[in-house]
């Protein structure tokens, strides 16, 4: 299926860009007329994926984060967040709640949060090459705004 | 993001407003830990009533403060949570470690 509208964004992996990235994707999603809950869901999921690029993929270095988003006729938004960082050795394990390779202040809940706020989360990764996280969510918007 | 700290003999309150993400969490952590270490209060209350956005960095923040405060025998409570923040805290199993309480109805921001 071809998206009816697309956007691309390339940002440096600096933590100050986390707020910029989630706000930009949320502004793009606004054309689907989401309700406040759905906007928060998207902002939160994007924030998780972008933060992972900054703290894990590029760790002590600064690299590029590529964000693509597409909107489909059936009210679905798809968001891809890609990095060319260190990659994930075991994706299944990484996605388990509370699993983290950093510890300290990281809860290991980023993927769990993405999964609870999106309909689908897909992760493809290769060590030394990078990671692509694809988020998908159908926006119901005003349909059930009062629900 | 802004932090307001207040201390009484019985309780240290850390009131956070604005957005909590990985970027802001660093400053938040610094200010909170300074207050915790200088007061060593038995009860540390984290007030999220004015928080307008939070991702898993906020969960990590609460977990981290729980670790520090419980290490000297104190307890952490998180108050004024929106439904959304409350469900994120529960997702992390934080309800088993700290006392969570929701915001009064009608005062929700997110
Ligand atoms: N883009 C990425 N590049 C490399 N490793 C990653 C990436 N995203 C996630 N990971 C790995 O997957 C683990 C789990 O990620 P997740 O977001 O669930 O938890 P976290 O980032 O460790 O903690 P939290 O998100 O709660 O702060 C990370 O600890 C890291 O090892
Ligand atoms: Mg994460």
């Amino acid at each position: 299926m071809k998206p009816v509208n697309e956007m691309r964004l390339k940002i440096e992996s600096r933590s100050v860009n986390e707020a910029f990235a989630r706000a930009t994707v949320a502004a793009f999603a606004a054309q689907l007329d989401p309700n406040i809950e759905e906007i928060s869901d998207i902002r939160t999921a994007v924030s998780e994926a972008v933060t992972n690029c900054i703290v894990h993929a590029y760790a002590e270095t600064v690299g590029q984060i590529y964000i693509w988003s597409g909107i489909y006729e059936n009210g679905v938004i798809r968001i891809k967040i890609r990095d060319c960082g260190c990659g994930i050795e075991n994706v299944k394990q990484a996605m388990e709640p509370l699993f983290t390779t950093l510890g300290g202040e990281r809860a290991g809940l980023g993927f769990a949060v993405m999964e609870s706020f999106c309909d689908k989360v897909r992760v493809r990764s290769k060590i030394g090459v990078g990671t692509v996280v694809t988020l998908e969510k159908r926006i119901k918007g005003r349909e059930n705004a009062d629900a | 993001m802004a932090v307001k700290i207040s201390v009484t003999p019985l309780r240290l309150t850390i009131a956070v407003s604005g957005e909590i993400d990985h970027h802001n969490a660093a400053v938040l952590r610094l200010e909170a830990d300074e207050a915790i270490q200088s007061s060593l209060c038995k009860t540390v209350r984290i007030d999220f009533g004015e928080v307008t956005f939070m991702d898993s960095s906020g969960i990590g923040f609460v977990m981290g403060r729980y670790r520090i405060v419980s290490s000297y025998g104190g307890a952490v409570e998180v108050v004024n949570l929106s439904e959304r923040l409350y469900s994120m805290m529960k997702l992390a199993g934080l309800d088993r470690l700290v006392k969570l309480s929701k915001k009064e109805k009608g005062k929700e921001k997110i």
Side-chain angles (χ1 to χ4, degrees):
Chain A
M1 209 181 9
K2 239 181 83 70
V4 292
N5 193 11
E6 294 175 73
M7 71 88 138
R8 277 186 180 77
L9 186 67
K10 179 177 158 193
I11 52 172
E12 290 192 340
S13 66
R14 301 181 192 279
S15 66
V16 67
N17 287 330
E18 290 159 7
F20 172 70
R22 63 178 178 261
T24 306
V25 176
F28 180 68
Q31 57 197 276
L32 285 172
D33 208 12
N35 60 43
I36 294 167
E37 273 303 305
E38 291 167 328
I39 279 284
S40 296
D41 292 350
I42 291 171
R43 273 166 30 105
T44 314
V46 169
S47 195
E48 295 295 350
V50 169
T51 300
N52 280 350
C53 299
I54 296 167
V55 302
H56 303 297
Y58 295 119
E60 305 304 317
T61 63
V62 173
Q64 302 297 323
I65 302 171
Y66 303 85
I67 300 174
W68 170 91
S69 182
I71 277 170
Y72 297 83
E73 230 156 282
N74 55 0
V76 165
I77 182 164
R78 205 174 271 163
I79 305 150
K80 282 190 194 191
I81 293 122
R82 181 168 67 87
D83 64 68
C84 306
C86 65
I88 303 171
E89 201 173 288
N90 183 339
V91 169
K92 197 163 168 275
Q93 181 187 43
M95 291 180 81
E96 272 166 27
L98 300 176
F99 177 86
T100 178
T101 48
L102 271 189
E105 289 290 318
R106 308 252 64 89
L109 280 166
F111 282 125
V113 166
M114 289 183 239
E115 287 191 307
S116 83
F117 292 147
C118 299
D119 298 323
K120 267 189 217 158
V121 178
R122 214 176 55 226
V123 181
R124 280 182 19 217
S125 190
K126 210 169 160 191
I127 289 292
V129 178
T131 302
V132 191
V133 173
T134 308
L135 308 169
E136 197 178 300
K137 188 174 177 72
R138 200 174 90 79
I139 301 300
K140 302 187 190 84
R142 302 296 146 88
E143 262 175 50
N144 65 347
D146 307 315
Chain B
M1 196 269 316
V3 197
K4 228 168 69 194
I5 308 244
S6 50
V7 207
T8 67
L10 289 177
R11 187 165 65 210
L12 167 70
T13 303
I14 301 162
V16 189
S17 58
E19 308 200 337
I20 305 176
D21 59 12
H22 155 258
H23 179 70
N24 294 332
V27 177
L28 175 57
R29 206 156 55 224
L30 222 71
E31 298 199 19
D33 288 354
E34 203 180 88
I36 291 170
Q37 260 130 32
S38 61
S39 73
L40 295 181
C41 262
K42 284 282 183 196
T43 305
V44 174
R45 173 178 284 186
I46 300 173
D47 186 342
F48 276 175
E50 298 295 318
V51 170
T52 54
F53 173 87
M54 185 192 91
D55 63 17
S56 64
S57 309
I59 300 172
F61 171 75
V62 175
M63 281 183 169
R65 284 346 99 211
Y66 163 76
R67 260 182 243 125
I68 294 171
V69 174
S70 60
S71 76
Y72 64 79
V76 173
E77 54 186 47
V78 189
V79 301
N80 285 323
L81 290 163
S82 63
E83 286 296 335
R84 185 184 191 82
L85 296 199
Y86 182 78
S87 69
M88 287 175 77
M89 296 281 162
K90 289 264 281 196
L91 180 75
L94 272 170
D95 50 324
R96 282 175 277 134
L97 307 177
V98 305
K99 193 169 155 235
L100 303 177
S101 52
K102 288 189 211 173
K103 198 178 275 194
E104 270 175 65
K105 271 266 173 283
K107 287 193 178 171
E108 265 129 60
K109 280 223 168 118
I110 51 168

